[in-house]
Amino acid sequence: MARDTVETHFTEAVATLEAGPPRDPGAPVREGSSLTGEQCRTLFRRQLDSRLLDIAARWLREQEEGFYTIGSAGHEGNAAVAAALRPTDPALLHYRSGAFYLTRSELAGRLSEQGIRDVLLGLSAAADDPIAGGRHKVFGHPDLAVIPQTSTIASHLPRAVGVAFAIERARALGVPSKWPQDAIAVCSFGDASINHASALSGLNTAAYATYQGQSLPMLFVCEDNGIGISVRTPKGWVEATARRPGIEYFAADGCDLAAAYDAAVRAAEHVREHRAPAFLHLSTVRLMGHAGSDVELAYRTQREIRADLERDPLVRTAAMLVEAGLETPEGLLKMYESAREHILRVAKETSRRPRLGSAKEVMAPIAPRSPELIAKISPTAAAVQVRERAFAGALPEDDKPLTLSLAINRTLADALAVYPEMTVFGEDVGKKGGVYGVTRGLQKRFGPGRVFDTLLDEQAILGLALGAGVSGMLPVPEIQYLAYLHNALDQIRGEAATLSFFSQGAFTNPMVVRVAGYAYQKGFGGHFHNDNAVGALRDIPGLVIASPSRPDDAASMLRTCLAAARTSGSVCVFLEPIALYNTRDLFEDGDGGWLAPYAPPARWPETHVPIGRARAYGDGRDLTIVTFGNGVRMSLRAAVRLTQEGYGCRVLDLRWLAPLPIDDLVRAAELTGNVLIADETRHTGGVSEGVVTELLDAGFTGKIARVSSADSFVPLGAAAQHVLLSEAEIEQAARKLLG
């Protein structure tokens, strides 16, 4: 629907309104409602401003000075939701939340002009847009507790549930939170998005938690305009989907400001008082189409479009004010024209603001890190008495050398002792201690409030981490297997990694995701339990991917990741080679070559591993074998045999798959002039492709060869040997390279 049709309808409809007898502005705007006349007048102005911002967005696009035209027209009733909440309640809003944002801004004590300017700067992609800095048009502001969302498919619902979870968990643990103890979380989304897997995950997680008696102050708000771009939502479907055990259901006409406000107040009071989730279902309309480029007549009839226009929430609020004698038609039309002129003038001004001018400017918020601060924080240890209590008097540094699994376990315990805001969670991590026992004993030592089991849903697990991180906690979720991570990769790609980028660092979601990964398990496996695909992780901007192979590296690198998350808001994936968890020997049975003593965190700097630093073994001058994970052990064994044949070999363990240790890589390559990359991931999309590219980009002129696993899924049993990288292949490739 063209904007001129919407504007014409508003002016014509308001002009025909008939004034009722005057009412006290402090009295209800109509009988039976708790919305006062004064509140109604204020909210109407925010609804009006939101509508005019949509008009401005279309005008800016016509001038080729605006870049976003998905508007809030028809959804202005969400101003009532903002008014029913506190400005300190964390809000995760969908893209039709203009009136909510403007209302929240004013309730937080800002001038109405500030909220308007925020939105216009975003529409114009201005570099001084206060939230995204010209990177995207989002609703968000750290002073308003509005966490910016770029999601169009409700992928923010798992995070929203995580925020609600974190409010209660921080209070229970007595650790600081970004939100008040009695806050509630709110997230909004459209009716079509409720069908998305991530939305269903959020709703199911909330119901699951409540079913078990856990507190979860979560308000879901579905603004149901009955259509997703061009696909209609079946009548009754939203309500049927929303009604779940433990989630209280509220509904109202979202085009009726008073009805929407009353329902929002009831829903918010329920959530705040009972600390339990509620679902607020607001029936709305969509005016001016899905976006500026949308031609509604291609899939809707004139009659359907006209029916929505007759429910215009702006007209209906105007009618309520006039009928209550609080405004006159003439006064409202004058207000409209004055506000329209003002907003278009400001839009013209903001369109002239500077925009991002270089790749460096664009990328600045992706992964800001302070290596010096990380190095300072990573060796932090708890007080002696606290450590002794955590380890029941048996300090791990006094124990015999540890396996990889035990080193990670002891490091997690040390970190839990020093970071009270840290939590460890995932499927089976509690009493069982994880599938491989890596977290065994941690729940007993630190309690179920900090080490706990979750439902079996990777989106929910990562969503809890995202919400906890943005709330000021330090989450360490576990994903049982690398293959399972792909079920929920968008929670890292589209939610975790983007938050700092689209908020200029004002919001971060620090987290260290532990993942049991790679292949080579003996006696157990097959696809899903043996996965060697990391390509989908390596192309996520700013993501840190740690891949330790030895126990001592695992301890130091895990501390580095925790410090990076805590100090810089880094999102880290910690890939743990399953096949090396309990490996003890390197060359011969009983040699203990894959064990390592536990170095306590305070023993620094010799135990600190900076992000992006490799580890070298040997000093040979003939061949450099570049590898990681399981490949380190295989390459070291192969290197010994090659050395016995007279070849001088060195092995470089990358340790970090993102960012790659480029300086160490180039240095090691130039020392020999011959580089063999032993890559246990797949030939296509594997790590070796990136290593080769970095060497070539750095101007390396020596010989390069690579050997990798095949482009295959990992089959069950001995058949896996046919497609996975082997020691024999490493040796053969080395001899071929050396001639």
Side-chain angles (χ1 to χ4, degrees):
M1 183 187 304
R3 68 170 187 267
D4 54 349
T5 302
V6 173
E7 289 199 275
T8 299
H9 176 263
F10 175 81
T11 56
E12 291 178 349
V14 170
T16 62
L17 294 175
E18 295 183 6
R23 293 193 186 185
D24 178 1
V29 70
R30 74 176 178 213
E31 188 175 349
S33 175
S34 60
L35 182 70
T36 67
E38 193 58 47
Q39 286 176 307
C40 185
R41 180 186 281 148
T42 300
L43 293 180
F44 172 76
R45 186 55 193 262
R46 302 293 76 79
Q47 290 183 301
L48 175 60
D49 289 342
S50 177
R51 175 66 58 83
L52 292 172
L53 285 171
D54 289 345
I55 301 299
R58 305 296 175 101
W59 178 81
L60 285 167
R61 186 72 202 99
E62 290 171 359
Q63 310 305 310
E64 297 187 351
E65 296 291 352
F67 308 95
Y68 194 90
T69 54
I70 298 179
S72 305
H75 286 244
E76 291 90 352
N78 56 39
V81 181
L85 299 169
R86 299 173 185 172
T88 52
D89 289 330
L92 299 89
L93 308 175
H94 75 148
Y95 48 62
R96 300 198 191 278
S97 301
F100 183 110
Y101 182 80
L102 297 179
T103 302
R104 169 65 66 92
S105 179
E106 189 173 55
L107 288 172
R110 302 172 84 218
L111 299 174
S112 60
E113 178 76 8
Q114 291 175 284
I116 291 170
R117 192 169 289 272
D118 289 349
V119 176
L120 288 171
L121 288 168
L123 291 170
S124 301
D128 53 354
D129 162 26
I131 186 62
R135 292 168 185 84
H136 198 31
K137 188 271 178 186
V138 293
F139 293 115
H141 202 293
D143 296 340
L144 307 181
V146 177
I147 303 168
Q149 303 301 312
T150 60
S151 168
T152 60
I153 51 173
S155 63
H156 59 299
L157 264 69
R159 180 207 292 275
V161 172
V163 171
F165 163 83
I167 292 170
E168 294 298 285
R169 190 52 54 100
R171 179 170 62 174
L173 296 176
V175 297
S177 172
K178 291 186 178 180
W179 327 118
Q181 289 189 351
D182 62 348
I184 68 174
V186 59
C187 70
S188 56
F189 49 95
D191 51 289
S193 295
I194 201 173
N195 297 300
H196 198 270
S198 53
L200 297 174
S201 174
L203 291 167
N204 183 67
T205 304
Y208 182 88
T210 307
Y211 188 80
Q212 296 188 104
Q214 296 180 20
S215 298
L216 196 80
M218 179 75 246
L219 177 60
F220 297 104
V221 181
C222 181
E223 298 177 24
D224 178 5
N225 61 33
I227 192 167
I229 304 184
S230 67
V231 180
R232 289 167 174 77
T233 298
K235 289 185 178 180
W237 177 247
V238 171
E239 180 177 353
T241 304
R243 289 192 179 277
R244 294 166 179 262
I247 300 181
E248 197 73 15
Y249 177 80
F250 298 85
D253 181 354
C255 297
D256 183 329
L257 186 68
Y261 178 76
D262 292 335
V265 167
R266 292 196 303 273
E269 287 178 347
H270 171 85
V271 176
R272 203 177 306 276
E273 179 182 349
H274 298 285
R275 315 307 291 171
F279 190 104
L280 176 59
H281 181 193
L282 296 178
S283 172
T284 65
V285 293
R286 190 185 72 189
L287 305 180
M288 298 196 293
H290 175 71
S293 59
D294 184 31
V295 181
E296 281 194 295
L297 285 174
Y299 55 87
R300 301 184 80 191
T301 66
Q302 284 280 14
R303 183 177 180 180
E304 289 171 331
I305 295 173
R306 189 70 191 178
D308 274 2
L309 193 59
E310 293 300 324
R311 292 184 62 207
D312 184 344
L314 200 62
V315 173
R316 294 180 70 175
T317 305
M320 194 162 18
L321 288 170
V322 172
E323 290 166 5
L326 297 169
E327 294 286 353
T328 64
E330 297 77 16
L332 290 177
L333 292 175
K334 184 177 180 181
M335 179 193 300
Y336 184 91
E337 289 303 322
S338 175
R340 188 182 194 279
E341 180 182 350
H342 172 71
I343 286 177
L344 289 177
R345 183 173 66 251
V346 177
K348 189 173 183 179
E349 293 172 5
T350 56
S351 70
R352 296 169 179 166
R353 300 296 302 162
R355 294 177 179 136
L356 295 169
S358 67
K360 183 178 180 180
E361 284 186 81
V362 171
M363 297 167 64
I366 287 180
R369 280 189 290 272
S370 170
E372 297 80 10
L373 186 56
I374 293 171
K376 181 180 179 181
I377 295 295
S378 65
T380 303
V384 175
Q385 299 90 336
V386 175
R387 284 196 78 227
E388 289 183 346
R389 187 163 57 250
F391 290 106
L395 295 176
E397 58 265 35
D398 298 332
D399 199 357
K400 57 188 178 182
L402 305 177
T403 61
L404 177 69
S405 171
L406 290 174
I408 295 171
N409 176 279
R410 305 308 190 254
T411 306
L412 288 171
D414 251 328
L416 284 163
V418 76
Y419 299 132
E421 72 276 20
M422 176 177 160
T423 54
V424 175
F425 53 90
E427 176 72 8
D428 292 317
V429 305
K431 288 184 178 180
K432 180 178 174 62
V435 174
Y436 298 95
V438 180
T439 58
R440 185 174 293 136
L442 295 181
Q443 186 182 76
K444 184 177 180 180
R445 293 185 220 172
F446 297 96
R450 301 188 64 196
V451 182
F452 54 91
D453 293 325
T454 65
L455 68 172
L456 182 54
D457 177 2
E458 286 73 29
Q459 289 193 97
I461 293 169
L462 294 177
L464 290 176
L466 290 167
V470 78
S471 300
M473 301 183 75
L474 181 58
V476 183
E478 177 184 292
I479 302 297
Q480 278 191 355
Y481 295 101
L482 178 58
Y484 294 176
L485 184 64
H486 298 288
N487 298 339
L489 195 63
D490 186 58
Q491 291 297 303
I492 294 179
R493 178 189 302 278
E495 293 290 325
T498 59
L499 186 59
S500 178
F501 182 72
F502 290 120
S503 70
Q504 303 183 91
F507 291 97
T508 60
N509 32 225
M511 56 196 290
V512 179
V513 186
R514 292 183 44 252
V515 185
Y518 302 129
Y520 301 102
Q521 291 190 78
K522 294 181 179 179
F524 178 66
H527 183 53
F528 272 113
H529 299 111
N530 285 281
D531 189 6
N532 58 351
V534 298
L537 287 170
R538 289 197 62 248
D539 75 345
I540 299 177
L543 184 68
V544 174
I545 307 176
S547 182
S549 59
R550 288 187 51 82
D552 43 353
D553 281 343
S556 299
M557 292 169 68
L558 181 52
R559 293 187 193 115
T560 297
C561 287
L562 290 167
R566 193 168 186 269
T567 62
S568 308
S570 296
V571 179
C572 306
V573 173
F574 197 77
L575 290 176
E576 302 168 4
I578 298 172
L580 297 177
Y581 268 150
N582 299 309
T583 298
R584 305 176 66 84
D585 306 320
L586 175 54
F587 299 114
E588 300 176 353
D589 290 347
D591 67 13
W594 211 253
L595 302 174
Y598 183 78
R603 195 174 295 168
W604 181 87
E606 61 268 22
T607 62
H608 176 61
V609 177
I611 292 174
R613 289 302 306 272
R615 179 175 181 175
Y617 297 85
D619 56 3
R621 290 285 178 168
D622 296 324
L623 175 67
T624 297
I625 303 177
V626 177
T627 188
F628 59 94
N630 292 286
V632 177
R633 185 172 182 272
M634 290 191 290
S635 296
L636 287 172
R637 290 163 62 91
V640 167
R641 287 189 285 271
L642 290 166
T643 300
Q644 291 171 348
E645 297 174 14
Y647 299 111
C649 299
R650 64 179 63 227
V651 174
L652 185 75
D653 179 1
L654 293 171
R655 297 196 292 195
W656 305 92
L657 304 187
L660 283 170
I662 298 172
D663 292 342
D664 292 339
L665 171 63
V666 173
R667 188 180 304 111
E670 291 177 342
L671 284 172
T672 64
N674 295 305
V675 176
L676 172 64
I677 307 161
D679 180 5
E680 68 177 288
T681 61
R682 298 174 188 167
H683 189 75
T684 302
V687 176
S688 56
E689 290 183 344
V691 173
V692 171
T693 302
E694 293 294 353
L695 287 171
L696 294 177
D697 285 350
F700 179 67
T701 57
K703 293 182 179 179
I704 303 174
R706 65 184 179 121
V707 60
S708 66
S709 296
D711 287 340
S712 171
F713 301 106
V714 181
L716 191 64
Q721 298 173 15
H722 299 307
V723 296
L724 293 176
L725 174 68
S726 68
E727 286 182 32
E729 289 175 313
I730 296 173
E731 288 185 50
Q732 292 168 10
R735 293 190 184 97
K736 181 178 180 181
L737 179 65
L738 293 170

